[in-house]
Amino acid sequence: MTNEEKILEILGTMQADMNGMKADINGMKADMNGMKADINGMKADMNGMQADINGMKADMNGMKADMNGMQADILKLQMQNENVIIPQLKALAEGHEMLAQTLAPKNRVDELENDVNILKLAVQAMSAELQQLKKAQ
């Protein structure tokens, strides 16, 4: 084998190695392009998530405002209970207690009804007697 043939053989081997390296580089380029696409997709997803988080923050702020309004309403109701309703209930209870103290007991009312009925009968009897006495004169 001559020097030229050896050089050609070495060049052929180097050419094959270069072709393999080119194929590897092209594969790596394709992988890098796929990774870039994945990263771009992830960036889009992250932007969407950021928008969702911002929306959730706005919703939370609205809920906080609603809660503050509800707390103010509850405080107003508590104050109304303390200042208006409870005193009125106490006055009503006191009036009811006073009525209960001044009313005659049921058994006493029953006795008075019986006495009135007896008196009515006595008056009717006396009226009848008086009529008879007037007729006899």
Side-chain angles (χ1 to χ4, degrees), residues 62-77:
M63 289 171 61
K64 284 180 184 177
D66 290 345
M67 290 291 287
N68 289 337
M70 288 171 56
Q71 285 176 339
D73 290 344
I74 289 171
L75 183 60
K76 287 177 190 174
L77 287 173

Side-chain angles (χ1 to χ4, degrees), residues 2-54:
T2 65
N3 282 339
E4 288 179 14
E5 290 174 342
K6 285 183 182 179
I7 291 174
L8 286 173
E9 186 181 326
I10 291 172
L11 285 174
T13 304
M14 285 175 67
Q15 184 70 33
D17 288 346
M18 288 292 283
N19 287 338
M21 287 170 59
K22 282 182 183 177
D24 289 344
I25 289 172
N26 287 336
M28 287 171 48
K29 283 183 181 177
D31 289 345
M32 288 294 287
N33 287 334
M35 286 173 43
K36 283 182 183 177
D38 289 344
I39 288 172
N40 287 336
M42 287 170 54
K43 283 182 181 178
D45 290 346
M46 291 294 286
N47 288 336
M49 288 171 58
Q50 188 64 42
D52 289 345
I53 288 171
N54 289 337

